[in-house]
Amino acid sequence: MKYLILAYITFTLSACGAGGTSSQPPLVLQPNSSSAECSLPYLPDYPDAYLGIHQIPTPSSSLSSTIVTRSISFKDYNGAYGNWKDSDGDGFFNNCSKQQFTEKIYLYTLERMKAAGANSAWIYNYAPWIDVNTENLEIYVPGYSLSDDLVGWLVNEAAGMGIDIFYAWQLMTVDKNQNQIFAIGSIPTMAVLRKLMNAHETNMLNQAVLLEDLGVKRISLDWNAMFICFCGDTKEELLDYYLQRLASLADQLKNTYSGKIEYGQIGRVYPDDAVFSKIDSLYINPNWQGLQLTEQQNSKLTVDMVREAALIWFEQEYRRIYCSDEPECTITEKKPVTVGIQIQSRDKMFIDGWVEDGFCTEGTLENDVVVNCIQDYYITDFSVQAVGYEGILQAIDQQTYFQITGIDIHTGYWLTDTLIGNGEVNAGEGFPNISQSIRGKPAEKIVQYWFDGIAN
């Protein structure tokens, strides 16, 4: 299901640890520290119940050598913004300055990604608009999740570990005063879409100058997170305009950016010859548009079940993109594909799809009671995620439709070792327990084996 930024997160989060019977994560590394005093306080403990009700599968194979890009991508928020909190006003948290703490979080996370077999990682930047009521939307630069300096430092440190950093922008629907330009998932007017496309073009051309200078190897042509519904009576008009603007943006990006341009992060690849002719690869994700199972299937979830559902999805997606649902495919030029995987570790992932994992949202229980933090009521199940990863990776290995050259664990790595959820405003760190993050969970072992053949 589509990954959406539901609101501009204005709260800060702090460390959350312990509690209950615990299990160790599959990868055990000690963070490097230049100072014995500055340390990360996060604990990898979790209750045994989190392991879930299904058998954890054993990875069956490793990726073909033709799949050269193996990404485990960062959870899409800034580690310092989300986890650093000066509780007593002395300018330090856990004896770390903000810069020390930020660097330590990212360096340790990069080390773990590398140990899990990653050779690349997407980062996702975002910021609110200055004022949605103006004719020309402008990004509020002080509100960047990742500052230019932090991006530059991160790219450099990752390169030293043999990891390429890729870059996607997430559009937000609100400005710095929380005024909304339109509701996520709704149908925009042409005026609103034109305003968004103008702003996206300006922003990405500006970002490309920096990213070229930093040596970032790949960027997303479209944005991530803010889904637009191209549907209803204006579907064709809006979609045609959207694709025309993306094709034009791709042309302009090539004037200043020499890296790869990938298309599909918005959540769906819309077939278009003009766009396809100007980009290097497509990004598709079976967890965004398919693989929903029935309650009965989900209760007896197996690797075979997920693999077969994924194989069907690959065929259907191929025909949607290249054949326009016609019996005969006439297109001969096909783009290389990155397959994103985004499976949350919760019991109803294959029934309900993706849910917010970074902060509390209001929700309704089965007895119609409305609660402020529905995330507290979800059932954590690491086995669902592990079965899902093994099943989809087997399908990737067996499908014959797409030329798959990359795998991406989409927004798939939490920035700390924490595995117990707590989304309370100004006190919690979010919900890594139900997240698509594989960090510290059985799915991490499965990804590691498929990526580099190492069993840990």
Side-chain angles (χ1 to χ4, degrees):
M1 305 306 104
K2 304 156 188 78
Y3 186 77
L4 309 177
I5 292 292
L6 300 180
Y8 177 45
I9 310 171
T10 56
F11 54 85
T12 57
L13 309 170
S14 65
C16 158
T21 305
S22 65
S23 302
Q24 292 301 313
L27 299 180
V28 181
L29 298 173
Q30 294 300 319
N32 294 330
S33 176
S34 58
S35 167
E37 296 181 353
C38 174
S39 62
L40 298 178
Y42 307 103
L43 299 177
D45 302 343
Y46 57 85
D48 287 340
Y50 278 13
L51 288 171
I53 65 172
H54 308 289
Q55 183 176 352
I56 303 295
T58 300
S60 59
S61 186
S62 56
L63 294 176
S64 164
S65 61
T66 59
I67 302 179
V68 294
T69 302
R70 303 173 184 204
S71 304
I72 300 177
S73 296
F74 287 91
K75 184 69 179 77
D76 53 338
Y77 56 65
N78 180 327
Y81 172 79
N83 301 286
W84 187 89
K85 188 176 181 184
D86 173 18
S87 57
D88 57 9
D90 65 355
F92 290 88
F93 175 61
N94 226 52
N95 296 314
C96 302
S97 69
K98 189 170 185 177
Q99 181 173 345
Q100 286 177 315
F101 199 68
T102 302
E103 292 180 358
K104 192 169 291 291
I105 282 176
Y106 278 104
L107 283 174
Y108 186 32
T109 298
L110 282 168
E111 289 174 6
R112 291 191 57 119
M113 288 174 170
K114 182 68 175 179
N119 59 20
S120 51
W122 285 89
I123 57 174
Y124 310 88
N125 210 352
Y126 52 88
W129 308 106
I130 294 176
D131 183 358
V132 298
N133 295 311
T134 57
E135 182 177 350
N136 296 313
L137 292 173
E138 294 182 63
I139 300 290
Y140 180 59
V141 175
Y144 273 21
S145 174
L146 306 173
S147 69
D148 288 352
D149 287 344
L150 179 56
V151 171
W153 174 85
L154 185 58
V155 170
N156 186 63
E157 293 297 326
M161 298 183 189
I163 297 175
D164 292 329
I165 294 296
F166 303 153
Y167 189 92
W169 189 267
Q170 295 183 334
L171 283 192
M172 297 183 66
T173 63
V174 297
D175 64 22
K176 61 187 179 68
N177 295 315
Q178 298 297 293
N179 299 311
Q180 190 176 57
I181 186 169
F182 92 112
I184 287 178
S186 65
I187 304 173
T189 64
M190 178 58 80
V192 167
L193 181 59
R194 183 176 294 110
K195 196 171 178 177
L196 289 172
M197 296 308 296
N198 288 343
H200 178 61
E201 178 180 280
T202 299
N203 178 57
M204 286 309 298
L205 292 175
N206 288 337
Q207 299 294 328
V209 174
L210 170 69
L211 300 175
E212 173 70 15
D213 185 56
L214 296 177
V216 169
K217 301 292 180 64
R218 183 177 305 191
I219 60 174
S220 174
L221 175 65
D222 50 340
W223 59 80
N224 176 277
M226 190 185 76
F227 178 68
I228 288 177
C229 184
F230 293 111
C231 45
D233 294 339
T234 58
K235 172 183 177 178
E236 297 301 326
E237 179 187 11
L238 293 173
L239 185 55
D240 286 348
Y241 178 76
Y242 168 77
L243 292 170
Q244 289 170 17
R245 293 300 301 269
L246 284 186
S248 173
L249 173 58
D251 255 344
Q252 295 177 76
L253 284 171
K254 289 180 180 293
N255 293 328
T256 55
Y257 180 72
S258 61
K260 301 292 186 183
I261 300 174
E262 194 159 83
Y263 161 55
Q265 285 272 350
I266 196 173
R268 168 154 288 210
V269 168
Y270 296 99
D272 185 78
D273 289 340
V275 174
F276 282 19
S277 69
K278 302 175 192 302
I279 52 99
D280 299 288
S281 55
L282 304 176
Y283 189 101
I284 61 174
N285 188 323
N287 300 115
W288 286 342
Q289 295 107 28
L291 302 194
Q292 284 184 286
L293 305 176
T294 65
E295 291 269 4
Q296 183 178 9
Q297 287 175 314
N298 193 64
S299 67
K300 299 177 180 179
L301 189 67
T302 65
V303 169
D304 290 348
M305 190 184 298
V306 176
R307 183 188 64 245
E308 293 309 308
L311 285 171
I312 291 170
W313 181 86
F314 277 119
E315 179 181 4
Q316 292 174 341
E317 188 70 352
Y318 178 86
R319 292 193 174 281
R320 184 188 68 81
I321 292 173
Y322 287 118
C323 314
S324 300
D325 295 322
E326 296 295 329
E328 297 293 331
C329 291
T330 57
I331 295 178
T332 55
E333 182 183 358
K334 300 178 180 65
K335 290 296 179 182
V337 164
T338 297
V339 177
I341 313 176
Q342 185 180 31
I343 304 171
Q344 293 189 311
S345 49
R346 54 184 294 267
D347 65 332
K348 293 187 176 180
M349 167 65 206
F350 286 107
I351 298 173
D352 300 334
W354 187 88
V355 297
E356 179 56 59
D357 64 340
F359 50 92
C360 285
T361 58
E362 186 179 277
T364 304
L365 303 179
E366 290 182 358
N367 60 3
D368 294 329
V369 173
V370 177
V371 295
N372 292 328
C373 191
I374 190 66
Q375 286 75 9
D376 285 336
Y377 296 86
Y378 293 135
I379 297 175
T380 303
D381 192 321
F382 291 173
S383 69
V384 167
Q385 184 184 55
V387 169
Y389 266 97
E390 178 62 21
I392 292 179
L393 286 165
Q394 286 187 17
I396 288 169
D397 192 44
Q398 294 177 20
Q399 70 84 38
T400 57
Y401 292 95
F402 292 101
Q403 179 196 351
I404 298 174
T405 57
I407 305 294
D408 175 42
I409 311 306
H410 181 72
T411 57
Y413 221 70
W414 207 256
L415 290 167
T416 74
D417 284 337
T418 306
L419 283 165
I420 295 177
N422 184 346
E424 185 179 349
V425 175
N426 292 324
E429 194 187 333
F431 298 92
N433 54 311
I434 64 168
S435 175
Q436 63 267 15
S437 170
I438 61 172
R439 182 168 180 165
K441 302 173 186 177
E444 187 173 23
K445 287 184 182 179
I446 292 171
V447 169
Q448 181 189 32
Y449 191 88
W450 278 89
F451 274 20
D452 64 14
I454 296 176
N456 205 1

